[in-house]
Amino acid sequence: MVDEQAIKVAQERFGELLRRQLERVDVLKGEGDWIDYSKLDKLIIGVCGGDGIGPYICASAQRVMEFLLADKIKAGKAEIRQIDGLTIERRVEVMKAIPDDTLEELKKCHVILKGPTTTPKKGDPWPNIESANVAMRKQLDLFANVRPVSVPELGIDWVFYRENTEGSYALGSDGVNVTDDLAMDFCVATTQGTERIIRAGFEHAKKTGKNYVSLVTKANIIKTTDGKFLTIAENVAKDYPDVKWDDWFIDITTAKLIDPARRSDFKVFVLPNLYGDIITDEAAQIQGGVGTAGSANLGKRYAMFEAIHGSAPRMVTEGRAQYADPCSMIKAVAMMMEHIGEIEKAKKLNMALDVCTQFEKKLVMTGRDTGATGNEFADYIMETMKRPDLETVWQGYVDASIAAAKKN
Ligand code: IPM
Ligand code: MG
């Protein structure tokens, strides 16, 4: 016997979800242009430590950020603000993904540096509240999750443009248990939300001269939302006649990322939310692990920069938090510098990160007292940035590693 009453309840719930999404579309239609940081009197940078190792690695990354922006801070052109309340304890206390007062403070900033936050799942000791990352991406409309991965000696120079506010994540906490036996989740694609991420990917390909975009979906199976992604890409591509593009399915793409014969051809990827989440961990692993990758969450008004890994609570309970690797957060600082227009500072920090983590390795991080602390490593990076011959040193290492890779 079909439970008609259960269908009715679920329909009502579905109706509410549709109403909220259509309201969102109206907001997206009225969306303004990208913020111009060069026109601000003062750039406000918020820092949220998060949970677990978050406050530790975030503090190390903040020191690097203060070092880079020292002149601007002194001149009153930039201000760094500590923003409290994005901890799992506080979020559980108010039973919200982001407490209201914290959100209010975040909205007073232009850009945010955020440490990893605990994301509860069913069965955890915490109530199963929505992820703080996901909530922040939605509330601040940070629709483009940009994740670069580069391994020069393998010819890999990728950047992922992951849609960050829609797809399977949009209603990830709003699925419906229709009956005890039937659970349904939802996947969302709007014209506006899809177009802006695809455009951001194509713009990047054009601006950087990479001129190649790979659009990744599973449109043969997920025909409606992924199908929309593909159709919109066909239209957007017409505005970029010099950018070559092709479409791929997510399954074969995950395989091709480890195919030495094909992978170095890829340049810019554009993908829906969940595929982007999964494949960027794989890509980061090829680069040396999720600890090496930074993540930019960009919207037209706000931007948030973070590590791509989690909060590693075990390191805290085992008393090893000060040995957590801050490099993913420091990479996020480099992405922030680039985004706010500090191109030279970003370049310098990226070179120092390469030299310290991949080439020179005077200090190594092991996650325990057998290696450096996060703060010692941040010092190492800042010292390296001060070297007048940094660019020559970096170029020498890159050339040598390319030559060595060719020999093998
Ligand atoms: C990421 C993370 C997040 C995500 C989690 C922590 C909510 O895996 O940024 O990739 O799923 O997006
Ligand atoms: Mg992820």
Side-chain angles (χ1 to χ4, degrees):
M1 255 286 281
V2 170
D3 185 344
E4 294 296 338
Q5 181 55 25
I7 295 181
K8 223 183 234 146
V9 172
Q11 273 174 335
E12 235 161 70
R13 178 95 189 93
F14 188 44
E16 270 165 44
L17 298 178
L18 295 180
R19 187 161 300 113
R20 265 171 29 209
Q21 289 305 313
L22 286 173
E23 281 165 9
R24 219 185 116 244
V25 168
D26 279 342
V27 174
L28 290 183
K29 281 183 180 163
E31 180 183 67
D33 214 347
W34 290 89
I35 185 170
D36 181 351
Y37 296 105
S38 68
K39 297 225 167 81
L40 296 177
D41 290 335
K42 191 201 251 182
L43 175 78
I44 316 268
I45 305 172
V47 177
C48 314
D51 299 310
I53 58 170
Y56 295 82
I57 58 177
C58 211
S60 301
Q62 182 175 343
R63 290 179 51 227
V64 174
M65 186 164 77
E66 281 165 354
F67 169 81
L68 285 169
L69 293 177
D71 50 344
K72 282 200 144 181
I73 294 171
K74 213 165 151 209
K77 296 289 240 177
E79 179 189 330
I80 298 179
R81 283 188 194 165
Q82 214 63 47
I83 297 184
D84 299 325
L86 204 73
T87 59
I88 185 71
E89 292 81 8
R90 176 93 178 106
R91 287 184 285 133
V92 164
E93 191 187 315
V94 297
M95 282 305 277
K96 282 203 159 162
I98 306 177
D100 292 339
D101 47 350
T102 306
L103 185 60
E104 211 175 291
E105 289 307 308
L106 288 170
K107 284 189 169 169
K108 291 181 193 156
C109 304
H110 299 104
V111 292
I112 297 154
L113 182 70
K114 179 189 141 304
T117 44
T118 298
T119 303
K121 67 168 186 326
K122 206 167 175 51
D124 284 353
W126 302 107
N128 199 3
I129 52 172
E130 189 186 17
S131 142
N133 298 43
V134 173
M136 199 186 290
R137 291 167 185 168
K138 286 197 238 172
Q139 304 260 15
L140 304 181
D141 200 23
L142 308 173
F143 67 89
N145 188 186
V146 182
R147 298 182 161 181
V149 164
S150 110
V151 190
E153 61 271 32
L154 299 179
I156 293 174
D157 183 17
W158 301 326
V159 55
F160 295 82
Y161 274 73
R162 163 190 177 192
E163 202 294 318
N164 215 19
T165 48
E166 302 195 343
S168 313
Y169 278 61
L171 299 174
S173 301
D174 295 298
V176 179
N177 282 303
V178 181
T179 66
D180 285 347
D181 300 315
L182 177 64
M184 296 200 54
D185 275 311
F186 306 103
C187 187
V188 176
T190 67
T191 302
Q192 293 71 18
T194 307
E195 185 175 332
R196 62 184 181 173
I197 185 68
I198 295 175
R199 210 167 269 290
F202 272 86
E203 273 299 318
H204 178 81
K206 180 177 164 186
K207 202 175 70 192
T208 55
K210 290 180 175 168
N211 282 336
Y212 175 32
V213 171
S214 299
L215 199 97
V216 184
T217 68
K218 188 74 185 177
N220 52 341
I221 304 297
I222 312 296
K223 292 187 189 289
T224 311
T225 46
D226 281 6
K228 189 175 186 66
F229 223 82
L230 206 49
T231 313
I232 291 182
E234 279 160 12
N235 285 329
V236 170
K238 290 184 193 141
D239 294 339
Y240 300 86
D242 296 331
V243 178
K244 179 178 93 170
W245 81 286
D246 49 17
D247 82 271
W248 289 78
F249 295 135
I250 181 65
D251 47 355
I252 188 64
T253 313
T254 57
K256 288 297 160 192
L257 289 197
I258 53 169
D259 175 0
R262 181 64 180 77
R263 62 180 171 191
S264 55
D265 293 345
F266 291 118
K267 295 286 173 233
V268 181
F269 294 91
V270 180
L271 4 66
N273 209 334
L274 182 59
Y275 309 143
D277 174 49
I278 296 166
I279 209 170
T280 52
D281 269 17
E282 185 197 7
Q285 187 63 40
I286 294 169
Q287 178 180 260
V290 288
T292 64
S295 172
N297 298 266
L298 311 180
K300 294 191 175 172
R301 166 66 181 83
Y302 299 102
M304 180 265 279
F305 301 82
E306 61 181 344
I308 83 164
H309 58 74
S311 58
R314 192 182 310 157
M315 288 193 79
V316 182
T317 48
E318 292 177 3
R320 302 187 279 121
Q322 71 272 34
Y323 297 104
D325 188 343
C327 287
S328 181
M329 288 298 298
I330 296 176
K331 184 84 194 167
V333 170
M335 296 188 78
M336 180 195 286
M337 292 303 123
E338 193 172 332
H339 186 66
I340 62 174
E342 296 286 359
I343 309 297
E344 279 309 306
K345 291 181 169 128
K347 199 172 144 196
K348 209 186 235 189
L349 179 51
N350 277 321
M351 286 191 295
L353 270 165
D354 285 350
V355 169
C356 299
T357 63
Q358 294 184 41
F359 302 132
E360 190 184 70
K361 297 186 198 170
K362 265 197 206 154
L363 290 183
V364 283
M365 308 258 355
T366 60
R368 325 185 158 266
D369 60 7
T370 49
T373 65
N375 270 333
E376 283 163 356
F377 209 84
D379 287 336
Y380 176 31
I381 287 174
M382 289 187 276
E383 286 309 314
T384 305
M385 276 195 284
K386 285 186 204 156
R387 289 173 65 164
D389 60 348
L390 175 60
E391 185 152 7
T392 322
V393 168
W394 175 81
Q395 193 62 57
Y397 279 123
V398 171
D399 292 346
S401 68
I402 293 174
K406 273 202 187 125
K407 250 197 225 152
N408 290 330

